[in-house]
Amino acid sequence: MVRSQYLPTGLLVVLASVSAAPAFAHTGDGLSGGFIGGFGHPFFGLDHVAAMVAVGLWGAFLGPPAIWLLPIVFPLVMASGGVLGILGVPLPGVEIGIAASAIVLGLMVALAVRPPLAIAAVLVGAFAIFHGYSHGAELPPGADAVAFSVGFVVATGLLHLAGISFGLLARWPAGRIAVRAAGGAIALAGVVFLSAAV
Amino acid sequence: MSGFFRVGLAAAFLFRADPAFAHLPIEGVGGFYGGLLHPILVPAHTLSVVALGLFIGRQRERRIPSSIFAVALIAGLIAIARAVEAPVGNVMLANTALLGGLVAMAWAPPQPLGWLLAAVAGATLALDSPPQAITIAEANLMLAGTALGACLAVAIVSAITSYLTTAWQQIAVRVLGSWIAASAILVFAMSWR
């Protein structure tokens, strides 16, 4: 009998096939699927990403205590908006509100607007409701609720952190220009989002 | 067997994905170690113990709430060993949201309220941990593991938190509390959908 040169490869393919786990329709099932699904959720919408980064940018631009207060306020208020979305409570103009958040927050950074902290917190909180509502309404019913929510909130926080990290460049003159330019770019992107929403 | 074949075989098994389970911490790990890992690897329980650990870690007096948590936990585990069933998932989430919110606000409530929150955390964690075992002996080992795992997790998180004293570290703790509260609120809402 002549031993085939393809035998090892064939055996490898058979073993790999036999050991493969079944694929499921709802990737949200289970801890890893739920967390990864939730973690990826905020990244799927550029409008969400732009607004989250703008929150961090503005917080860093305003300095303490806004730098940490806004990222603390945002998830809590966003969760309240998420509750409305999950329960199906009607909220008009959600997409417009999300696009407006990118425009307004981007402009705040671009124009270096420094309102009182309470006004900044209320503004960010108001937009957080729209973002939370949108995410809440889109939560897949088959997902592991806890893992999905944790992943989703952590991703949102990391986007804020990305904005804060970039916003810290505002300590230097050249960095300040770069941060304000980023704010302008976010505001322009918001205009595009708004034109798509209306 | 050629080197290429061995490497290929190893790679094939490395990339083999196992399905994840929602409530079993690790497939095939039962008894004491299954219980030990339960509070750490079940997401709702992890949120609860981390929230309580952060909360206790920010208090001046940490021994009383930690002890109350341990007593409530053990009482709950004894109850569940006697087949007492109580749907406490939402109570645990509400308690977690409250603890996370208090950490985010950096507000120390009156001590009795803190003790009550610790007691609720312990009791709900225990009552939401029915042992998935075939024999009574294994179930008891699993419950003992859950008690130790939960107490250790709270003690470790609170000890670490108590050492985080610089401004940035305290902000990080508050942000974490905010994330935990937001997650718990969302999950709580999802249970009403």
Side-chain angles (χ1 to χ4, degrees):
Chain A
M1 183 188 287
V2 179
R3 187 180 166 191
S4 166
Q5 59 180 323
Y6 298 112
L7 184 61
T9 309
L11 196 57
L12 179 68
V13 170
V14 170
L15 280 171
S17 304
V18 169
S19 67
F24 296 101
H26 294 285
T27 54
D29 287 344
L31 174 61
S32 59
F35 181 82
I36 292 169
F39 190 82
H41 205 258
F43 293 101
F44 291 143
L46 277 178
D47 46 358
H48 291 299
V49 173
M52 300 302 110
V53 173
V55 170
L57 277 179
W58 199 29
F61 205 80
L62 293 174
I67 191 171
W68 52 264
L69 190 65
L70 298 187
I72 288 174
V73 167
F74 196 95
L76 290 173
V77 183
M78 183 185 70
S80 310
V83 171
L84 298 177
I86 289 167
L87 298 180
V89 177
L91 183 67
V94 173
E95 292 303 319
I96 292 171
I98 291 169
S101 70
I103 295 172
V104 173
L105 294 174
L107 280 177
M108 293 292 166
V109 177
L111 302 175
V113 179
R114 292 179 177 276
L117 182 61
I119 292 177
V122 168
L123 194 61
V124 165
F127 288 132
I129 289 176
F130 291 110
H131 286 272
Y133 186 93
S134 169
H135 288 307
E138 292 167 5
L139 284 183
D144 176 346
V146 182
F148 191 96
S149 299
V150 170
F152 159 62
V153 172
V154 168
T156 301
L158 290 179
L159 284 171
H160 290 158
L161 192 61
I164 289 171
S165 304
F166 189 75
L168 289 175
L169 292 174
R171 292 177 178 184
W172 295 278
R176 192 175 172 83
I177 294 169
V179 171
R180 291 181 68 174
I186 288 172
L188 281 177
V191 174
V192 176
F193 302 143
L194 186 63
S195 64
V198 293
Chain B
M1 189 182 284
S2 72
F4 172 77
F5 178 66
R6 279 195 293 254
V7 171
L9 193 61
F13 280 100
L14 276 177
F15 284 111
R16 176 185 180 274
D18 280 321
F21 292 91
H23 210 75
L24 273 177
I26 298 177
E27 190 185 6
V29 176
F32 182 77
Y33 293 106
L36 190 73
L37 294 171
H38 200 266
I40 305 161
L41 295 181
V42 175
H45 295 191
T46 310
L47 279 184
S48 180
V49 295
V50 172
L52 183 66
L54 293 175
F55 175 77
I56 291 175
R58 293 180 65 90
Q59 310 296 311
R60 283 187 183 174
E61 172 53 59
R62 290 188 285 275
R63 279 175 295 185
I64 295 176
S66 301
S67 304
I68 288 173
F69 168 76
V71 169
L73 177 74
I74 291 166
L77 290 172
I78 290 170
I80 207 159
R82 294 175 178 273
V84 174
E85 288 188 5
V88 292
N90 280 345
V91 179
M92 178 165 37
L93 285 170
N95 194 58
T96 303
L98 207 52
L99 285 166
L102 288 171
V103 172
M105 289 188 289
W107 183 59
Q111 279 193 332
L113 179 58
W115 299 341
L116 177 67
L117 293 174
V120 172
T124 53
L125 197 144
L127 292 171
D128 199 42
S129 304
Q132 294 162 344
I134 297 170
T135 64
I136 292 174
E138 193 185 1
N140 288 336
L141 277 175
M142 188 173 272
L143 292 175
T146 301
L148 183 62
C151 288
L152 276 177
V154 169
I156 290 168
V157 175
S158 63
I160 292 171
T161 307
S162 68
Y163 281 105
L164 301 177
T165 51
T166 66
W168 277 105
Q169 289 170 338
Q170 292 198 348
I171 289 168
V173 169
R174 292 182 65 178
V175 169
L176 193 54
S178 160
W179 291 3
I180 289 172
S183 302
I185 290 168
L186 284 171
V187 179
F188 188 72
M190 285 170 88
S191 70
W192 288 94
R193 181 154 68 175

